[in-house]
Amino acid sequence: MPSQSTATEEFWSKAMGVFAAHQIKTEPDDLANWGTDWTKSFRVDPLAIVFPESIDQIVHLVKRAPEWGVALVPSGGRTGLSGGAVAPNQEIVVSLDRMNKILAFHETDKIVHCQAGLVTLQLQAFAIEHGLFYPVDFSSSGSSQIGGNIATNAGGIRVIRYGMTRRWVAGLTVVTGTGEVLKLNHGLIKNATGYDLRHLFVGSEGTLGIVVEAEMRLIPQPEEQQVMVLAISDLDRILDVLRAFQSTVELSAFEFFSELALQKVLAHRDVPRPFSNASPFYALLEYDANQFEVANETFERVLEAGSVVDGVVSQSLSQATALWALREGISESIASFTPYKNDISVRIGEVPGFLKDVDRIVTQHYPDLEVVWFGHIGDGNLHLNILKPAELAIDDFYQRCHEISPKLFSLIQNREGSISAEHGVGLLKRDFLNYSRSDEEIRLMRELKRVFDPYRILNPNKLITA
């Protein structure tokens, strides 16, 4: 055992009854790595990182945690953006990295039974190998894990057609805060036997239980997809474009990004500008390639109506990939600017007015800061990214951004929207939950927390306060 503090030494002596030495990490670099997520804005101070390799080990750890006086932070790929996987107060990080196997494939049911640590991209690849498709997709699919996707009800770029992660969870195995193992739904399509507890754990951010296994539904592979990027000069016209295409083709994606977002991608990646002239806004559409004729006809109509000013259509898979890079490359291209991220949603019809209201507030309070807009406008989900100037200290930057949050969230509350569309609540938005949830809802959420985690050891102070 490495030389550590007294608290760490005590944990080693206790944990060795549950884990082997290779399953525990306490070195500072390891604590810093596994003790945080992509927010990078919270203090990180875990006591240790453990890597269970079986459900029994997790059960033993959960049952002993109260007597040891430690709390547990479940950890997947740590790609979250809300501080949900941060361990700031000497918690034990429970990494699912080594529980990453596909346990069974039920071919007739098209269900994959896997461990929670399976990387999303691996599930997608497995589906393709079997002539099937796992449709939940996002830029972090190469790092994120299925357990984390379930805990945050991950969305991504094709929600308009395929929905959120919840839709694809056929069954769950969960360890609660008392160490009970719940096996939920067993992959059934029809199961009218009362409360479906499975859905309580989807989106619970590890506060009710640790997802250890999942049964995930697959579907037949879709048709080859075609991608179209449109230049739009007036934000008010974007819903006209969405309605026009929805009435003629089945969209897999309808994405939105601003000119500033495009500039950041072009500066970061070797990709060509889609049009010779810049436009304030852009939309990216994806649909079945066999619908190309009617899609082209629809484009001609919206062009003639003045709803769009230009457009480009992919003619090959490589061109489709290049066009997607304009949208998918945004997060990576702005990462060096330490963006303050707002992941918000309103009803689709509210999007243009909401965008204008938010832009007015941000411009009024932060005229010196760059604001990058993009999002899944086809499902009402917008990403507002405020970029940190190089000369501004990180703490001062986050303080300024945090001060504007209540103003933004009030706009969301007035439209009955969500302060977190797909990134979760975690630490970042916990204190603002009342802008999206009523007092009665929050009270019931706390009561559910006490039922499943009476000792308050699972991801404490995330999502809701005790």
Side-chain angles (χ1 to χ4, degrees), residues 61-375:
L61 176 63
V62 169
K63 287 184 174 180
R64 295 182 185 185
E67 66 183 73
W68 292 350
V70 297
L72 309 175
V73 175
S75 174
R78 307 182 308 285
T79 60
L81 294 165
S82 67
V86 172
N89 295 308
Q90 289 283 283
E91 299 95 341
I92 306 303
V93 174
V94 184
S95 171
L96 279 297
D97 285 5
R98 298 180 188 173
M99 295 179 65
N100 59 8
K101 297 180 178 60
I102 291 177
L103 302 174
F105 175 48
H106 306 287
E107 185 174 3
T108 302
D109 297 286
K110 299 183 179 64
I111 289 176
V112 175
H113 184 182
C114 63
Q115 293 179 308
L118 183 72
V119 172
T120 309
L121 189 63
Q122 292 175 327
L123 178 58
Q124 294 169 336
F126 180 88
I128 292 172
E129 289 172 8
H130 290 80
L132 298 169
F133 185 59
Y134 180 65
V136 180
D137 196 11
F138 33 78
S139 58
S140 62
S141 61
S143 304
S144 69
Q145 297 175 5
I146 294 300
N149 296 172
I150 292 168
T152 57
N153 191 25
I157 58 177
R158 296 185 175 91
V159 170
I160 189 174
R161 184 168 185 175
Y162 298 111
M164 308 282 279
T165 296
R166 180 186 305 279
R167 180 174 173 181
W168 306 99
V169 179
L172 281 181
T173 303
V174 180
V175 178
T176 72
T178 59
E180 296 174 298
V181 179
L182 304 180
K183 295 181 181 293
L184 307 172
N185 197 59
H186 307 285
L188 298 174
I189 295 174
K190 302 178 75 172
N191 183 5
T193 54
Y195 308 131
D196 192 341
L197 299 180
R198 163 185 47 150
H199 290 298
L200 276 178
F201 293 94
V202 179
S204 66
E205 300 186 32
T207 61
L208 303 180
I210 301 175
V211 175
V212 291
E213 292 179 7
E215 292 165 289
M216 306 302 294
R217 298 191 192 282
L218 306 180
I219 57 174
Q221 287 187 1
E223 298 288 335
E224 180 184 344
Q225 299 293 288
Q226 188 170 59
V227 177
M228 179 184 292
V229 174
L230 305 175
I232 300 174
S233 60
D234 187 345
L235 191 60
D236 286 334
R237 307 305 294 270
I238 199 163
L239 290 189
D240 296 335
V241 177
L242 174 61
R243 284 190 290 263
F245 278 92
Q246 280 186 317
S247 68
T248 59
V249 300
E250 183 173 12
L251 293 171
S252 298
F254 190 92
E255 300 287 295
F256 154 85
F257 52 99
S258 65
E259 167 63 19
L260 180 58
L262 177 61
Q263 290 175 13
K264 298 301 182 185
V265 173
L266 297 178
H268 184 261
R269 290 191 176 190
D270 183 21
V271 292
R273 176 176 280 277
F275 310 108
S276 56
N277 295 320
S279 189
F281 308 104
Y282 304 91
L284 181 149
L285 295 68
E286 184 182 77
Y287 47 87
D288 292 349
N290 60 15
Q291 297 180 306
F292 72 95
E293 288 186 358
V294 68
N296 290 346
E297 292 170 0
T298 306
F299 167 71
E300 294 295 337
R301 286 202 302 273
V302 295
L303 181 65
E304 183 178 348
S307 298
V308 304
V309 296
D310 208 345
V312 60
V313 180
S314 65
Q315 301 298 322
S316 65
L317 179 59
S318 61
Q319 288 180 352
T321 301
L323 290 177
W324 260 117
L326 302 175
R327 163 62 182 87
E328 285 285 84
I330 297 173
S331 291
E332 183 180 342
S333 71
I334 64 176
S336 62
F337 295 92
T338 318
Y340 185 89
K341 293 176 173 287
N342 274 288
D343 157 48
I344 51 188
S345 69
V346 293
R347 288 183 294 274
I348 298 168
E350 300 270 0
V351 167
F354 176 68
L355 271 170
K356 289 182 177 180
D357 286 347
V358 172
D359 190 57
R360 173 177 47 80
I361 287 180
V362 173
T363 301
Q364 176 184 345
H365 289 84
Y366 302 119
D368 57 326
L369 300 183
E370 287 187 314
V371 178
V372 171
W373 281 104
F374 65 95

Side-chain angles (χ1 to χ4, degrees), residues 378-439:
D379 55 46
N381 180 194
L382 303 166
H383 297 292
L384 169 78
N385 296 265
I386 304 174
L387 307 188
K388 187 185 81 67
E391 68 278 5
L392 189 61
I394 183 68
D395 290 342
D396 294 338
F397 172 65
Y398 273 100
Q399 179 62 32
R400 288 186 64 186
C401 293
H402 229 50
E403 288 172 358
I404 199 178
S405 290
K407 297 179 177 65
L408 297 178
F409 295 159
S410 290
L411 294 176
I412 294 170
Q413 187 177 43
N414 292 340
R415 287 178 165 83
E416 298 182 318
S418 174
I419 64 169
S420 183
E422 62 179 356
H423 291 166
V425 176
L427 289 171
L428 185 66
K429 296 186 177 180
R430 179 198 63 196
D431 297 336
F432 302 115
L433 188 60
N434 62 299
Y435 286 92
S436 285
R437 296 297 190 114
S438 68
D439 291 342

